[in-house]
Each structure stands twice: as structure tokens, then as C-alpha cells.
Amino acid sequence: MTYCIKNYLKLVTFILMSVIFGAAYPDSSPSQWLTPHNNARKAVGVPALTWDAKLAKFAKSYAEKRKKDCSLVHSTGPYGENMFWRSSKTSTPSQAVAGWLSEKRGYNAGSNTCRIADCGHYTQIVWRSTTKVGCAKVECEGGRGGAIFVCEYDPPGNFYGEKPY
């Protein structure tokens, strides 16, 4: 009897989580975004981020607005923001985060400067005072195709003259 109840509770939990996360994150789960973010943060000694549904909703809403052209035009919203485009609709959140993290090679922590054109995506991910993140992936429509990825960060980072960690 106890075995049946435990299995029933596991099934109910699975169904509820599928409904909750499936509706808001149809092709990704929060852990697909959080794991690479938090691995990068751990590597530089800053606290882990937590998933925030409000930020994910904002990211999804803004990504939906960009899906016709999938241009990487920032929202100018109240949060820090990273955007990424891939030509393949099957691209994953971890690929998007890896793209942002690839900018680490251009960041000089000693002088707090970028040796490449931009390393702000990387520094936003590892910004010490940022505590929450929410992200979304939306398939593009129209000629460009592919998918657009958006992450929102709160509190935002990348303040001129300040070091991320």
C-alpha cells in the first residue's frame, strides 16, 4: 500500500511539474539555463543564481516581440539582459550560455577590460551582485529562421568601472 501511494505521489508530482514547466518553458527547463550559469559563477567564486519566474516571463515576452525578425535588439528594460541567436531551431539553452561564456577569453580581470569587442555577456553572467535569472527561447519566424535566446538578470550588472567579481 505504501509503495502504491509513493508511486502515485511521484506520478502526480511529475505531471504537475510537466504542466507548470511545460507551459512556461516548452523546450527547456530552468536547470538547462541555471547549470551553465552557476558553473561559470562557481569557477570565479561568486554565489549561484536562482531561477526567477517573473524574469523568465519578461524574457519570454520580449523574445516573442523579436521573433518576427530575431534581431538582437535589447529591450532596454529594468534588468541586465543577454541575447543570442542560432540558425538552428534545435539549439539548446546550454549552447546559448556557452556562446556568452566564450567571451571570457577576452576578459582581463586585472585591468577589468575586454580584449575583444565585447565581453559584457560574460561579465553579466558572473556579476557578483546579480542573484536571479530568468530566460526563454523562442523560434524565429520569417527569413532569418532559427531561435532567439533571452536571459534577464536582477539586479543588473555591467556598471562602468566596476569589476564583476
Side-chain angles (χ1 to χ4, degrees), residues 105-154:
R105 70 188 182 313
Y107 178 67
N108 182 323
S111 64
N112 194 33
T113 59
C114 296
R115 291 185 300 260
I116 57 175
D118 187 19
C119 61
H121 301 101
Y122 166 71
T123 55
Q124 176 57 81
I125 288 173
V126 296
W127 201 264
R128 177 178 290 284
S129 62
T130 298
T131 59
K132 301 180 288 187
V133 65
C135 306
K137 171 190 172 185
V138 171
E139 290 184 4
C140 299
E141 297 175 352
R144 191 166 188 196
I148 190 167
F149 300 79
V150 179
C151 284
E152 303 293 334
Y153 302 86
D154 192 39

Side-chain angles (χ1 to χ4, degrees), residues 62 66 69-76 81 83 144 148 150:
Y62 187 65
R66 299 267 29 124
D69 62 8
C70 274
S71 296
L72 300 179
V73 177
H74 286 280
S75 69
T76 66
E81 185 172 73
M83 298 179 74
R144 191 166 188 196
I148 190 167
V150 179

Side-chain angles (χ1 to χ4, degrees), residues 15-151:
I15 291 169
L16 285 173
M17 295 304 283
S18 297
V19 169
I20 291 167
F21 289 117
Y25 320 107
D27 46 15
S28 64
S29 68
S31 66
Q32 289 178 299
W33 300 96
L34 275 173
T35 298
H37 273 85
N38 287 333
N39 287 342
R41 292 175 67 85
K42 184 178 181 180
V44 295
V46 296
L49 297 173
T50 59
W51 186 258
D52 187 277
K54 178 181 165 186
L55 295 175
K57 184 177 178 181
F58 186 94
K60 178 78 168 176
S61 174
Y62 187 65
E64 288 287 340
K65 290 177 185 173
R66 299 267 29 124
K67 76 178 181 180
K68 294 253 188 258
D69 62 8
C70 274
S71 296
L72 300 179
V73 177
H74 286 280
S75 69
T76 66
Y79 310 113
E81 185 172 73
N82 281 348
M83 298 179 74
F84 188 82
W85 173 81
R86 288 289 294 241
S87 60
S88 172
K89 291 182 180 183
T90 61
S91 296
T92 64
S94 61
Q95 289 172 319
V97 179
W100 297 322
L101 291 174
S102 71
E103 295 176 0
K104 179 180 182 175
R105 70 188 182 313
Y107 178 67
N108 182 323
S111 64
N112 194 33
T113 59
C114 296
R115 291 185 300 260
I116 57 175
D118 187 19
C119 61
H121 301 101
Y122 166 71
T123 55
Q124 176 57 81
I125 288 173
V126 296
W127 201 264
R128 177 178 290 284
S129 62
T130 298
T131 59
K132 301 180 288 187
V133 65
C135 306
K137 171 190 172 185
V138 171
E139 290 184 4
C140 299
E141 297 175 352
R144 191 166 188 196
I148 190 167
F149 300 79
V150 179
C151 284

